[in-house]
Amino acid sequence: MSAPKDISVTERLILALDVPSPDEARKLVALLGDSVQFYKIGLELFMAGGYFELLDWLKAQGKKVFVDLKFFDVPETVASAVRQLRSRGADLATIHGNDSIMRAAVREKGDLKLLAVTVLTSLDQGDIDDLGFKTDVAALVLSRAKRALEIGCDGVVSSGLEASQLRANLDHRLLVVVPGIRPVANKPADDQKRTVDVEEAFEMGADYIVVGRPIRGAENPKQAAQDVQARIKAYFEKKA
Ligand code: C5P
């Protein structure tokens, strides 16, 4: 488990708003009400138009916002993008890239918390070999996370299965955000393969979990979100 951080229990669940339009996003947020306090908005909504109006609306509802656009470009371009973003009110954002890209982004981040993508979970060892990296995935994730923290990033996005090795080897200041959560012992008929459940994710060192389809696709999304929140609360009460 990670060291205690100043994170409110109800903000540890981040809902992935992977819907095609800001209208649908607003409807879902209204439906979920108090059951979700933190939302992740990514590329699909970015390409739909109205992204920053949605961000402003979420902030006006008192929500926290994770801008998941995985900036990746030459360092100065990433730095400029981060400079533009930092005054927009987002709480978390993702960047992707090597040391010089991360360094440029950190220089401009202000109060924005930056998460580094280490190795995309869609890449397997064969892909890493093809890219010419002479290392295994686990070692690469750890070394990328270590560099990210040294350079001044606030955290990383990590699969639940990698979280424990990050916790065991890195400074506890590192924020670890874990997607690919499957709250029930289901066999998902979707693209997530390396899944963990809610308690496992926190036990392995997550600070936040990102959940999308298991809540959005539930018969009663609000009830599903409340169930996840109840499990998070129970987990942290037991640990206290
Ligand atoms: O629907 P699901 O619960 O799989 O949603 C997970 C969210 O986390 C999606 O928005 C997905 O893009 C994101 N994500 C992920 N794996 C990563 C990084 C982000 O699943 N390595």
Side-chain angles (χ1 to χ4, degrees), residues 16 18 40 68 70 121 157 179 182 192 210-214 216:
D18 297 324
K40 179 170 93 71
D68 187 19
K70 299 185 179 67
T121 46
V157 181
R182 291 299 171 262
Q192 295 284 14
V210 177
V211 185
R213 287 164 288 186
R216 289 198 320 272

Side-chain angles (χ1 to χ4, degrees), residues 8-59:
S8 121
V9 172
T10 57
E11 289 177 358
R12 289 182 180 270
L13 167 64
I14 303 179
L15 196 288
L17 265 181
D18 297 324
V19 295
S21 71
D23 267 3
E24 281 174 68
R26 286 182 175 87
K27 276 189 200 129
L28 182 58
V29 172
L31 173 73
L32 292 170
D34 283 347
S35 66
V36 176
Q37 303 301 331
F38 212 144
Y39 286 94
K40 179 170 93 71
I41 52 177
L43 283 169
E44 184 177 9
L45 278 171
F46 189 70
M47 299 312 285
Y51 187 84
F52 289 106
E53 289 78 2
L54 176 64
L55 194 164
D56 291 344
W57 180 83
L58 284 165
K59 295 302 293 185

Side-chain angles (χ1 to χ4, degrees), residues 85-101:
L85 181 62
R86 74 178 180 213
S87 56
R88 294 281 195 163
D91 299 281
L92 280 180
T94 37
I95 56 165
H96 196 174
N98 65 0
D99 288 7
S100 55
I101 294 172

Side-chain angles (χ1 to χ4, degrees), residues 54-128:
L54 176 64
L55 194 164
D56 291 344
W57 180 83
L58 284 165
K59 295 302 293 185
Q61 311 283 307
K63 306 300 182 188
K64 292 213 163 161
V65 180
F66 173 7
V67 168
D68 187 19
L69 297 175
K70 299 185 179 67
F71 294 154
F72 178 56
D73 208 310
V74 296
E76 281 315 308
T77 302
V78 170
S80 308
V82 170
R83 187 162 58 242
Q84 297 279 19
L85 181 62
R86 74 178 180 213
S87 56
R88 294 281 195 163
D91 299 281
L92 280 180
T94 37
I95 56 165
H96 196 174
N98 65 0
D99 288 7
S100 55
I101 294 172
M102 291 194 285
R103 218 173 274 118
V106 164
R107 199 179 70 220
E108 297 293 344
K109 79 186 187 72
D111 291 334
L112 177 63
K113 286 196 162 52
L114 278 186
L115 303 177
V117 174
T118 54
V119 179
L120 287 174
T121 46
S122 57
L123 300 182
D124 64 13
Q125 190 62 50
D127 298 317
I128 299 297

Side-chain angles (χ1 to χ4, degrees), residues 173-231:
R173 281 173 306 147
L174 183 83
L175 288 176
V176 177
V177 178
V178 172
I181 305 294
R182 291 299 171 262
V184 286
N186 62 343
K187 288 289 144 236
D190 60 37
D191 57 356
Q192 295 284 14
K193 297 194 179 101
R194 305 179 69 211
T195 66
V196 289
D197 73 20
V198 174
E199 293 81 5
E200 275 172 338
F202 290 110
E203 196 59 33
M204 292 179 125
D207 293 300
Y208 296 94
I209 57 172
V210 177
V211 185
R213 287 164 288 186
I215 290 178
R216 289 198 320 272
E219 217 167 288
N220 182 340
K222 185 168 185 177
Q223 187 61 54
Q226 283 169 338
D227 291 349
V228 172
Q229 292 286 22
R231 287 171 64 173

